Amino acid sequence: MSHQSHSTHESTSPSTARRGTDGPTRRRTLAGFGLLAGSSVAVSACGTGGDSSSDTSDIDPNNPVDIAATSDVPEGGAIKVSSDGVTAVVAQPSPGQYKAYSSSCTHQGCSVTVQDTTITCPCHSSTFSIQDGSVQGGPAPKPLSQYKVTVDGGRITLS
C-alpha cells in the first residue's frame, strides 16, 4: 500500500528561488487583485459623499402615505416611523406643528436614528435639528430632505 503525503506548504522551486522577493509571485498578484476588488465594494457601499439622501420624491403625490398618529409624536421630540415603504422622521418641534424628514443622512445615505430631540447619523455622527432638519454637526453637507405634511383627524400624512 502506498501512502502519498500532501503538503500544504509551498516548496521552493528553482524559479522561485531565483526570483526571491524582487518580483511579485502569483499568490501576491492574486491577493492584490482580491484586495482591490474588496476595496471597491467597500467604497461603493459607503457612497460617494455627495447627495445620497433620499429625495422624498419616492411618494406619489396622488397617493399620500399615512405615516403616524399625532398622539405618537412627542411634543418637542421626534420619532422614526415606516409605512407603505416609506421611512421618515416625524417631529413635533412645537405643540401642534408637525414636520417630516427623510431618514437618510445627506452625508452618505446611512439611516438616521432619533433620540428625544436629536436626529443622529450613527455612521459618521452627523446631527440634525428637529426644528427644520438643518445640520447641527458632523460631515453632512446639507439638511435632511423634507416631506410635505398634512394633519387630518389626528393622522399625519406625507406627500
Side-chain angles (χ1 to χ4, degrees), residues 64-91:
V65 175
D66 182 296
I67 199 80
T70 55
S71 60
D72 292 338
V73 185
E75 283 185 21
I79 60 171
K80 184 175 174 181
V81 290
S82 295
S83 181
D84 293 335
V86 174
T87 301
V89 173
V90 179

Side-chain angles (χ1 to χ4, degrees), residues 32-65:
F33 284 126
L35 286 174
L36 285 175
S39 64
S40 67
V41 169
V43 169
S44 66
C46 287
T48 61
D51 179 21
S52 300
S53 69
S54 171
D55 181 31
T56 68
S57 61
D58 51 350
I59 298 177
D60 177 358
N62 297 319
N63 295 310
V65 175

Side-chain angles (χ1 to χ4, degrees), residues 32-145:
F33 284 126
L35 286 174
L36 285 175
S39 64
S40 67
V41 169
V43 169
S44 66
C46 287
T48 61
D51 179 21
S52 300
S53 69
S54 171
D55 181 31
T56 68
S57 61
D58 51 350
I59 298 177
D60 177 358
N62 297 319
N63 295 310
V65 175
D66 182 296
I67 199 80
T70 55
S71 60
D72 292 338
V73 185
E75 283 185 21
I79 60 171
K80 184 175 174 181
V81 290
S82 295
S83 181
D84 293 335
V86 174
T87 301
V89 173
V90 179
Q92 186 178 186
S94 59
Q97 178 191 32
Y98 297 92
K99 297 192 175 196
Y101 309 104
S102 166
S103 64
S104 295
C105 180
T106 58
H107 177 230
Q108 291 187 342
C110 294
S111 183
V112 298
T113 60
V114 178
Q115 296 157 345
D116 300 320
T117 61
T118 307
I119 303 168
T120 305
C121 179
C123 295
H124 301 104
S125 302
S126 290
T127 55
F128 302 89
S129 168
I130 65 164
Q131 299 290 325
D132 57 8
S134 63
V135 178
Q136 301 298 298
K142 63 184 196 172
L144 294 173
S145 299

